Amino acid sequence: EDQVTQSPEALRLQEGESSSLNCSYTVSGLRGLFWYRQDPGKGPEFLFTLYSAGEEKEKERLKATLTKKESFLHITAPKPEDSATYLCAVLPGGSNYKLTFGKGTLLTVNP
Amino acid sequence: GAGVSQSPRYKVTKRGQDVALRCDPISGHVSLYWYRQALGQGPEFLTYFNYEAQQDKSGLPNDRFSAERPEGSISTLTIQRTEQRDSAMYRCASSLGQGGNQPQHFGDGTRLSIL
């Protein structure tokens, strides 16, 4: 059974304090690993897709990396507007569409 | 451009009533998905459409739940004889197609409350 575990469940940072969120996964093959951002009352907003170990993607203060067992979302010098829940999802090798999500990490960045 | 649109945003109904939730995907997106998201959890897969064909309904909890997409665009998720345990956020997503290179884009959901 495909599993996605995100840690920590919640993270509080001061503005400018860099950190990383973790997404560990167990899946039969990996067609893709997806990061989403979710603001309160909104649907998940797509950030990145990673396909193979060693791959990295960047967007503003966010950088996502992938190994064979986990993915990290690095947040450099975060701002209060980066506060959100960050969700990780995997698309297993045996499916073209069925995402399995983790529970997310609630990030709060204080000014 | 317009994103995935869901209606109603909130639905409160009494136990035993039927409800219909609507999803209008991004124009041109052939793949459509329904998810259910509990508080503090990630979305959980319910069903998948490719054009008008329902290709996977393995996540639907029981036979009170059904979904259709008759013209390959708008989709309706119907719950018959609602129960309190059906209370949740129901989300729709769409993508250009299948596969890892086609990210799913989500709507803001319908919050369903069963009294």
Side-chain angles (χ1 to χ4, degrees), chain A residues 1-18:
Chain A
E1 183 181 334
D2 304 323
Q3 284 192 324
V4 178
T5 303
Q6 292 189 245
S7 61
E9 290 185 6
L11 180 63
R12 283 188 176 273
L13 299 174
Q14 288 300 121
E15 185 172 2
E17 179 186 2
S18 301

Side-chain angles (χ1 to χ4, degrees), chain A residues 5-98:
Chain A
T5 303
Q6 292 189 245
S7 61
E9 290 185 6
L11 180 63
R12 283 188 176 273
L13 299 174
Q14 288 300 121
E15 185 172 2
E17 179 186 2
S18 301
S19 189
S20 296
L21 313 182
N22 177 264
C23 171
S24 298
Y25 62 90
T26 303
V27 67
S28 299
L30 181 70
R31 199 177 289 270
L33 184 140
F34 300 79
W35 282 99
Y36 285 84
R37 168 192 171 125
Q38 186 170 23
D39 293 299
K42 298 290 188 179
E45 175 188 350
F46 171 72
L47 293 174
F48 305 108
T49 309
L50 301 167
Y51 298 102
S52 57
E55 189 175 1
E56 299 182 351
K57 293 265 179 82
E58 285 190 68
K59 181 180 181 180
E60 295 183 355
R61 295 176 292 282
L62 301 177
K63 183 169 80 172
T65 62
L66 182 64
T67 73
K68 288 187 177 179
K69 293 184 178 181
E70 57 193 347
S71 177
F72 292 94
L73 185 65
H74 307 276
I75 303 175
T76 302
K79 298 182 177 181
E81 53 262 41
D82 294 323
S83 297
T85 295
Y86 290 86
L87 293 164
C88 170
V90 296
L91 188 65
S95 175
N96 274 326
Y97 55 84
K98 197 169 183 177

Side-chain angles (χ1 to χ4, degrees), chain B residues 33-86:
Chain B
Y33 318 78
W34 284 97
Y35 289 84
R36 184 163 66 176
Q37 187 172 17
L39 201 61
Q41 306 286 320
E44 182 181 2
F45 174 84
L46 295 177
T47 187
Y48 162 66
F49 289 86
N50 185 38
Y51 294 95
E52 72 281 0
Q54 187 176 22
Q55 296 201 331
D56 187 336
K57 56 181 181 178
S58 62
L60 295 178
N62 51 61
D63 60 9
R64 295 185 297 105
F65 287 72
S66 63
E68 63 174 8
R69 193 187 185 197
E71 297 180 359
S73 179
I74 292 170
S75 177
T76 303
L77 177 68
T78 301
I79 309 173
Q80 295 180 312
R81 306 180 302 281
T82 52
E83 301 178 4
Q84 285 190 331
R85 60 179 171 156
D86 300 333

Side-chain angles (χ1 to χ4, degrees), chain B residues 79-101:
Chain B
I79 309 173
Q80 295 180 312
R81 306 180 302 281
T82 52
E83 301 178 4
Q84 285 190 331
R85 60 179 171 156
D86 300 333
S87 297
M89 175 68 80
Y90 290 84
R91 294 201 189 276
C92 176
S94 69
S95 64
L96 276 171
Q98 301 178 10
N101 62 340

